Amino acid sequence: MIKKLQNYVGGKMTDSSTQRWGDVFNPALGAVASQVPMSTAGEVSSAVLVAKQAFEGWSATPPVRRARVMFELKSLIDRHVDELAALVTAEHGKVLDDARGSVTRGMEVVEFAAGIPQLLKGEYSEGVARGVDSWSFRQPLGVCAGVGPFNFPAMIPLWMAPIAIACGNTFIMKPSEKVPSLSLRLAELWTQAGLPPGVFNVVSGDKEVVDALIEHPDVAAISLVGSTPVAEDVYQRATRAGKRVQALGGAKNHMIVMPDADLSHTVDALMGAAYGSAGERCMAISVAVAVGPGTGDRLVDALIPRVKALKIGPGDQPGLDMGPLVTKQHLEKVSGYVDLGVKEGARLLVDGRGLKVPGSENGFFLGGCLFDHVTSSMKIYQEEIFGPVLAVVRVPTLDAAIQLVNAHRYGNGGAIFTSSGEAADEFTKRIQIGMVGVNVPIPVPMAFHSFGGWKGSLFGDHYMHGPEGVRFFTRLKTVTSRWPRGASVGASFAMPTVK
Ligand code: NAD
């Protein structure tokens, strides 16, 4: 009998009454591991009501008390890091070391959120006019919702909920239906950390749950991470419904390799950034831009043996570089892009299609793929593939490389590898992307900075976590106050100005 997963509402696991269930796979085995409820709009409504009722008490809880829950949650995540990483690997497929790292990066947002008394400190101006003081402070929004992608089952829900909750909001998480278990386990840890019932809830499902959250008048904000078409659509519909929205979308991240880059550092960095997590990272490098004559040849000569030697297998086995892709459907999509690249005339130097891992013959595995002589007119260059496929594009100059990146519809992250300060400076100043690395291949900002891309990689005005996260999950109130002394000076009908 396949295990049926539950939702988590009001501080406990609850059964779903839905008739629709989705399969959750173990991608290394290619077998169904559990079933997830495709919850109904009615179940979303019940969860919103519970979260709304919890808001009154939680928003009035002093920030220092809220911070204590964060300290406790941080320590629980720390103590359970191996268990949580195993859960990530079981449903997503990434190797355990990588999964552990992703849990730790999520935990760091909890650490940041534990500083909430400091982060919510307002501003005060004494004497803005005679006898008048003014101060500003930030208040929570109400019930907030998070919608997660499949590729970071722990880290991305932890980008959202800790900050929302530390700010005094209550929260409903809709994890990706491909990887729901992590959010459910985190819900138990939240409760164990002392969070009152109803403050953090998990409602699983698909578009129907997201639509119900968009349409519900008591949901104040939606924080979503997913593909660009979904991010853009949810942003448009939810903002029209009067909600605050941050919707992070897809990516195509470039690494500019200058002729003066240290080749061995560059190739090491490129291997991890392109093939780590089987390329299923929104910050993965999927395009290497070789600048100047000879750079492309040197780069691919060094890459070919490394890509062929990638150690691939079930993520829970030690010493591997890459696990499977998340689902059979995704494997077919990524393999389809490799077929397309060949048709488009790119040169396939390493072909990972058809990989069979002994003992895991039904797993969703794809070996590393490497294309050379990719051009900007090809679909494999323009579209996000989200798999272990690296494209090498050759350009004559840094200026051409910058123009190439800036013309792309996505603008999430990217990097330059060089030993020239001048080239790095030129790149960081002119490049139209949100997160930039200089000799750092995956420049994911730490929890106390904010994460987000430009152009088609982010819809909305606020980035995730860090100071931008606090701004997203709060709104500003400014008070102007006078305590009159002496007799009234009479009514004034002019716009007040300082005399
Ligand atoms: P997805 O867009 O298919 O799904 C994301 C979430 O939206 C899921 O919870 C899903 O159930 C829901 N959803 C799907 N279709 C919907 C619809 N029509 N209406 C409303 N909700 C819908 O994305 P995915 O395949 O789970 O994740 C991979 C994508 O996420 C990639 O494009 C990747 O680049 C992107 N991503 C971006 C970032 C970032 O920070 N920019 C981080 C991680 C992943």
Side-chain angles (χ1 to χ4, degrees):
M1 199 45 185
I2 289 174
K3 181 180 171 194
K4 279 188 157 26
L5 299 174
Q6 294 171 292
N7 286 326
Y8 195 94
V9 178
K12 57 182 191 305
M13 294 287 180
T14 57
D15 287 330
S16 170
S17 58
T18 184
Q19 300 301 307
R20 286 199 307 128
W21 291 80
D23 290 335
V24 180
F25 285 86
N26 177 323
L29 300 175
V32 178
S34 61
Q35 287 198 309
V36 61
M38 296 294 148
S39 306
T40 62
E43 287 170 324
V44 171
S45 255
S46 308
V48 173
L49 182 62
V50 166
K52 190 181 175 188
Q53 285 163 348
F55 178 71
E56 201 178 321
W58 183 245
S59 56
T61 301
V64 169
R65 301 269 313 260
R66 291 189 225 135
R68 285 182 192 143
V69 174
M70 302 300 145
F71 281 115
E72 197 53 40
L73 180 67
K74 180 250 174 288
S75 132
L76 282 167
I77 294 175
D78 217 3
R79 291 211 294 276
H80 289 84
V81 67
D82 289 335
E83 176 209 332
L84 295 170
L87 214 46
V88 170
T89 295
E91 288 184 354
H92 174 271
K94 64 181 78 183
V95 298
L96 273 176
D97 271 358
D98 187 28
R100 214 175 280 116
S102 74
V103 174
T104 302
R105 291 302 293 259
M107 185 189 73
E108 287 166 3
V109 182
V110 183
E111 279 173 346
F112 170 74
I116 203 67
Q118 169 73 14
L119 294 164
L120 286 182
K121 267 164 54 178
E123 294 178 328
Y124 193 98
S125 299
E126 184 192 8
V128 292
R130 272 181 218 291
V132 179
D133 294 341
S134 188
W135 70 93
S136 303
F137 56 102
R138 306 196 72 90
Q139 292 191 311
L141 306 174
V143 179
C144 300
V147 180
F150 76 75
N151 64 324
F152 281 108
M155 185 179 83
I156 289 182
L158 285 169
W159 281 357
M160 305 166 175
I163 298 188
I165 289 173
C167 288
N169 301 285
T170 56
F171 202 82
I172 297 175
M173 184 69 213
K174 205 284 303 165
S176 161
E177 61 275 37
K178 298 183 180 96
V179 294
S181 296
L182 213 292
S183 285
L184 292 168
R185 186 67 187 111
L186 283 175
E188 291 176 329
L189 295 183
W190 274 111
T191 299
Q192 210 177 320
L195 194 72
V199 177
F200 179 75
N201 309 278
V202 179
V203 179
S204 274
D206 56 8
K207 181 178 189 305
E208 192 174 326
V209 170
V210 180
D211 289 352
L213 289 166
I214 291 172
E215 282 154 25
H216 202 296
D218 288 331
V219 173
I222 296 185
S223 180
L224 176 140
V225 178
S227 57
T228 288
V230 170
E232 188 168 16
D233 174 59
V234 169
Y235 176 77
Q236 284 173 352
R237 288 192 290 135
T239 47
R240 255 201 316 273
K243 300 185 194 321
R244 187 177 286 203
V245 187
Q246 52 178 188
L248 277 61
K252 194 85 178 175
N253 306 309
H254 299 66
M255 182 199 278
I256 311 302
V257 181
M258 295 298 287
D260 60 7
D262 177 303
L263 193 64
S264 103
H265 278 137
T266 304
V267 170
D268 280 346
L270 202 42
M271 288 301 299
Y275 300 102
S277 197
E280 292 171 329
R281 286 183 185 139
C282 65
M283 290 290 277
I285 295 289
S286 46
V287 183
V289 185
V291 177
T295 309
D297 287 344
R298 276 186 285 124
L299 189 64
V300 296
D301 286 349
L303 281 170
I304 291 170
R306 298 285 298 270
V307 180
K308 286 184 174 161
L310 279 168
K311 295 196 277 300
I312 302 168
D316 59 1
Q317 288 181 14
L320 297 178
D321 302 320
M322 235 172 75
L325 294 180
V326 70
T327 57
K328 183 158 185 280
Q329 193 190 20
H330 191 58
L331 169 64
E332 284 165 0
K333 180 179 157 193
V334 176
S335 306
Y337 271 113
V338 182
D339 302 344
L340 177 67
V342 173
K343 275 201 211 107
E344 288 185 311
R347 220 177 288 163
L348 184 59
L349 301 180
V350 184
D351 183 358
R353 288 172 295 178
L355 176 73
K356 286 285 169 222
V357 173
S360 296
E361 285 77 6
N362 295 326
F364 309 136
F365 292 99
L366 176 69
C369 299
L370 178 64
F371 276 113
D372 195 5
H373 294 286
V374 174
T375 65
S376 59
S377 62
M378 295 178 185
K379 281 213 167 81
I380 61 158
Y381 172 77
Q382 292 160 357
E383 297 177 10
E384 181 182 46
I385 298 177
F386 219 55
V389 182
L390 177 63
V392 176
V393 177
R394 295 163 180 243
V395 297
T397 59
L398 174 61
D399 188 59
I402 291 174
Q403 284 185 37
L404 180 81
V405 179
N406 288 353
H408 206 284
R409 64 193 283 241
Y410 295 118
N412 212 38
I416 186 167
F417 273 63
T418 182
S419 53
S420 154
E422 188 187 336
D425 191 51
E426 179 84 2
F427 179 76
T428 51
K429 303 270 166 58
R430 285 180 53 203
I431 207 73
Q432 291 171 16
I433 57 178
M435 293 169 284
V436 180
V438 175
N439 298 320
V440 171
I442 309 188
V444 175
M446 294 294 284
F448 38 91
H449 288 270
S450 297
F451 182 108
W454 288 15
K455 300 190 278 188
S457 297
L458 188 144
F459 301 87
D461 303 311
H462 294 94
Y463 290 9
M464 290 270 171
H465 63 66
E468 291 263 316
V470 175
R471 274 177 225 125
F472 179 75
F473 285 115
T474 53
R475 55 187 161 187
L476 191 69
K477 188 177 273 181
T478 305
V479 178
T480 307
S481 158
R482 166 188 282 140
W483 293 95
R485 292 175 177 78
S488 170
V489 291
S492 166
F493 298 95
M495 183 68 194
T497 55
V498 177
K499 301 278 186 319

